[in-house]
Amino acid sequence: MGRRKVEIKRIEDKNRRQIAFSKRRSGLIKKARELSVLCDVEIALVVFSSRGRLYEFSSGDSLVKILGRYSGHYEQEPEASKYHNKAVLSFAEVLHIVQSQLEESTIEQLSLRDLEKLEIQLAATLSGTRARKSQLVRETILTRQEKEKLLKAENEGLEREIAEMEKNEDYRREMAIALMSNTENSGHLRQRQTLMLLPP
Amino acid sequence: MGRRKVEIKRIEDKNRRQIAFSKRRSGLIKKARELSVLCDVEIALVVFSSRGRLYEFSSGDSLVKILGRYSGHYEQEPEASKYHNKAVLSFAEVLHIVQSQLEESTIEQLSLRDLEKLEIQLAATLSGTRARKSQLVRETILTRQEKEKLLKAENEGLEREIAEMEKNEDYRREMAIALMSNTENSGHLRQRQTLMLLPP
DNA sequence: CCTCCTATATATAAGAT
DNA sequence: TATCTTATATATAGGAG
């Protein structure tokens, strides 16, 4: 698009590369914005320069919404939903670990803006792992036995989660959202849900 | 860039919007790929169509690498560093855990189980940032105008979430649970919760 | 939803400031 | 490095299949 055609391969000249980066980065972000506005869609774009600088664009109102759509996407994947159970297996455990790391330290001191950046990046990263996972899931076949084992473990995990939820008002909603994306059609959940809905 | 100039605002005609989405989406992804190749940088791009489909591009060699750059970025932020350090440390810890769990493998080679562990941890970290964010929001002094704006946006988001959920029986109860646990300080939610709890 | 077509609108490579 | 200029390369709107 310039005076001459450029091959799409790494630009070796450092100077030219930097100029191209600057121009194309802003062009890319502009395009992303246009697409999100014109077509009313959510877009998250993150660019890391080779020197570690971060550039980003997000159409995002709230990440909750984006993630909601995201899980919606996978929830509708029939193949994958069968196996999502697995993810719940260690959720409570891991959540506990991560929270104990983050809670105490300085996540508390981050600004809203910083938190949002963090969210965007986590979401982008997450989407990468999930995409890869669904690909794997399509290729994977689990035996019935394995499934049963997982279900059992999952129920144990859920009990812990619920216990935790009841301890911490602030996290309930987040937990539920997180759970939502991992518990789709799990029949063994219904009973527990019913208990929640119809407390004594 | 076509037969006529197009204003950058939501395309109301559904058909034209869909066509523009398809064309521009592929154009955007192409541009992202070109930028990452030409300038040798990491890029993550995620696009959610309004109907929940997911499109993405990632230059990502490995997530680990991207995460590494992420922490590098924040470690090098001079002004914010005193606040970021701790958080970055925590994040780095998480990263370390992930890495030690996965040992020598790259993300491309991870097992389903490992990917899910990674996903879980990311999701958990995200939930931590979101929880912290909503706390911050609550603590922040907002003008009445700002509050109204937020509530309106939130309700709109909720309406969409609910619309999506109503397509799927299995999620109703989970959402009800999630909403239930936030009844306390969100008056604007109550009405909707009732609807959720007592479906037609 | 694609692909192909064509006329135009945009993006951008070089160069200059 | 940021901006402006200009020639050219690309992207894409509208239409047809």
Side-chain angles (χ1 to χ4, degrees):
Chain A
M1 288 156 133
R3 294 301 180 104
R4 67 171 72 158
K5 176 167 178 167
V6 288
E7 266 189 284
I8 304 303
K9 65 176 189 183
R10 179 191 157 93
I11 297 172
E12 294 303 336
D13 181 69
K14 197 176 171 182
N15 219 13
R16 288 191 28 204
R17 190 168 68 242
Q18 167 54 38
I19 291 171
F21 179 63
S22 172
K23 287 184 173 180
R24 280 175 174 265
R25 172 170 41 78
S26 61
L28 183 65
I29 289 176
K30 182 182 177 187
K31 289 278 189 190
R33 174 172 290 111
E34 289 183 356
L35 178 56
S36 76
V37 171
L38 285 170
C39 303
D40 195 20
V41 296
E42 303 281 352
I43 297 182
L45 170 65
V46 184
V47 179
F48 299 88
S49 81
S50 46
R51 274 185 282 170
R53 224 175 247 292
L54 170 69
Y55 304 87
E56 60 179 290
F57 165 74
S58 165
S59 65
D61 306 289
S62 89
L63 210 74
V64 171
K65 186 175 152 195
I66 291 182
L67 286 180
R69 289 187 186 210
Y70 178 81
S71 6
H73 172 70
Y74 280 100
E75 280 159 6
Q76 286 163 6
E77 298 245 322
E79 277 300 305
S81 58
K82 278 190 286 193
Y83 303 108
H84 268 13
N85 295 333
K86 240 182 156 182
V88 180
L89 179 58
S90 52
F91 185 84
E93 250 173 77
V94 179
L95 179 61
H96 181 66
I97 292 170
V98 174
Q99 280 185 343
S100 66
Q101 284 185 349
L102 296 182
E103 237 173 0
E104 302 265 66
S105 53
T106 320
I107 256 229
E108 322 246 52
Q109 292 170 29
L110 292 177
S111 70
L112 229 193
R113 175 178 289 278
D114 290 329
L115 282 168
E116 281 170 341
K117 284 184 183 172
L118 189 53
E119 278 190 354
I120 288 165
Q121 289 180 295
L122 287 169
T125 307
L126 239 188
S127 85
T129 67
R130 283 184 168 162
R132 173 66 183 152
K133 188 181 79 174
S134 71
Q135 191 185 331
L136 265 180
V137 159
R138 272 178 238 115
E139 298 163 357
T140 302
I141 297 172
L142 292 179
T143 67
R144 165 177 283 282
Q145 219 175 20
E146 284 172 322
K147 285 185 197 171
E148 284 176 356
K149 213 171 178 180
L150 287 173
L151 289 180
K152 189 181 172 190
E154 182 177 349
N155 270 334
E156 289 168 1
L158 281 167
E159 281 169 5
R160 267 175 285 170
E161 283 174 29
I162 288 166
E164 279 184 30
M165 265 195 288
E166 288 172 350
K167 276 195 289 187
N168 192 333
E169 290 287 324
D170 287 339
Y171 284 107
R172 283 193 180 184
R173 181 120 192 268
E174 274 75 19
M175 290 283 276
I177 290 170
L179 285 171
M180 224 167 62
S181 59
N182 284 293
T183 52
E184 318 47 66
N185 312 321
S186 316
H188 61 293
L189 275 180
R190 292 212 180 103
Q191 198 178 350
R192 197 171 311 285
Q193 285 161 9
T194 306
L195 286 174
M196 297 295 291
L197 286 167
L198 305 169
Chain B
M1 285 161 134
R3 296 302 179 103
R4 65 172 72 160
K5 177 166 178 168
V6 176
E7 265 190 287
I8 304 302
K9 64 176 190 184
R10 180 191 156 93
I11 298 172
E12 294 303 336
D13 180 68
K14 196 175 172 180
N15 218 15
R16 287 201 326 128
R17 191 169 65 242
Q18 168 55 37
I19 291 170
F21 178 62
S22 174
K23 287 185 173 181
R24 280 175 173 265
R25 171 169 42 77
S26 61
L28 184 65
I29 288 176
K30 183 181 176 188
K31 288 281 189 189
R33 174 172 290 111
E34 289 183 355
L35 178 56
S36 76
V37 171
L38 286 170
C39 303
D40 194 22
V41 295
E42 303 280 354
I43 297 183
L45 170 65
V46 184
V47 179
F48 299 88
S49 81
S50 45
R51 272 183 288 168
R53 220 176 267 281
L54 170 68
Y55 306 87
E56 61 179 303
F57 165 74
S58 164
S59 64
D61 306 294
S62 79
L63 270 180
V64 172
K65 189 174 164 191
I66 291 181
L67 289 176
R69 286 184 189 232
Y70 170 81
S71 22
H73 170 70
Y74 278 101
E75 278 161 3
Q76 283 163 13
E77 288 266 313
E79 33 128 273
S81 61
K82 67 175 167 182
Y83 295 110
H84 281 309
N85 276 342
K86 274 194 184 173
V88 170
L89 260 177
S90 299
F91 197 71
E93 280 172 39
V94 174
L95 178 59
H96 184 259
I97 291 174
V98 171
Q99 283 175 326
S100 63
Q101 280 181 351
L102 307 181
E103 294 285 46
E104 69 264 274
S105 45
T106 59
I107 193 81
E108 270 83 8
Q109 296 166 337
L110 297 182
S111 70
L112 218 207
R113 177 180 295 277
D114 289 336
L115 271 172
E116 281 173 338
K117 284 181 184 171
L118 181 55
E119 178 183 330
I120 289 160
Q121 289 178 299
L122 290 169
T125 307
L126 234 191
S127 86
T129 68
R130 268 193 266 134
R132 174 59 188 157
K133 193 175 83 168
S134 52
Q135 193 185 331
L136 256 184
V137 168
R138 270 180 249 119
E139 289 170 358
T140 301
I141 298 173
L142 296 177
T143 67
R144 164 177 285 278
Q145 226 175 12
E146 284 170 326
K147 280 185 191 170
E148 284 175 356
K149 215 170 174 182
L150 280 177
L151 290 179
K152 190 181 171 191
E154 184 175 349
N155 272 333
E156 285 169 2
L158 282 169
E159 278 170 3
R160 266 178 265 182
E161 285 176 27
I162 288 164
E164 280 182 21
M165 248 180 307
E166 283 174 347
K167 287 188 213 159
N168 192 331
E169 285 292 335
D170 286 338
Y171 294 133
R172 284 198 178 179
R173 290 169 188 160
E174 287 178 8
M175 191 44 136
I177 291 171
L179 292 173
M180 218 163 67
S181 58
N182 279 291
T183 326
E184 307 80 52
N185 32 20
S186 318
H188 60 294
L189 280 179
R190 285 207 185 111
Q191 197 176 350
R192 199 166 312 285
Q193 283 161 13
T194 305
L195 287 174
M196 296 297 294
L197 287 168
L198 306 170

